[in-house]
Amino acid sequence: MREELLDALRRGAEIKLWINGPAASLAKHYAELDRIVEGSPALIAALSVNGSVGLARVEHGPWQFIVVLPDHRPPLIARATTDR
C-alpha cells in the first residue's frame, strides 16, 4: 500500500489532514476508522497507544489513505473510502 500512496502523492493527491496529538483522541475524532477497508488491525493498534502520534489523510479518487506516524516506528497505512 505504501507504493500506492507514493504514486497517488506523485499524481497530485490532496493531503486533507496532517495533525499530531494524543492517539486516542485522534482515533476518536479524526481517523474515521469506520471507513477503513484495508489495513485496519495494525492502524487501530497504533492508535490504541497511550501517547501522541501523527495522523494524515490523503485523498485520491474514491479512496483515502489513512497514515499513522508513531514515534520511533515506521508509518502505518490503511485504505478507506471517501465521504463522496
Side-chain angles (χ1 to χ4, degrees):
M1 202 169 333
R2 180 183 169 129
E3 291 302 318
E4 292 175 50
L5 171 58
L6 289 172
D7 184 55
L9 288 167
R10 287 182 188 117
R11 293 163 154 222
E14 187 173 356
I15 299 172
K16 292 293 229 175
L17 177 75
W18 189 314
I19 57 176
N20 293 303
S25 179
L26 296 183
K28 181 177 180 183
H29 298 290
Y30 298 103
E32 300 179 357
L33 299 174
D34 59 324
R35 295 174 192 234
I36 294 175
V37 296
E38 183 180 351
S40 63
L43 192 115
I44 290 170
L47 289 169
S48 298
V49 300
N50 187 17
S52 293
V53 297
L55 177 77
R57 275 193 281 135
V58 177
E59 285 195 8
H60 185 68
W63 300 107
Q64 276 187 24
F65 293 95
I66 310 298
V67 183
V68 173
L69 305 153
D71 286 340
H72 312 293
R73 290 195 348 217
L76 298 156
I77 304 166
R79 185 187 325 269
T81 59
T82 61
D83 298 345
R84 299 176 203 145

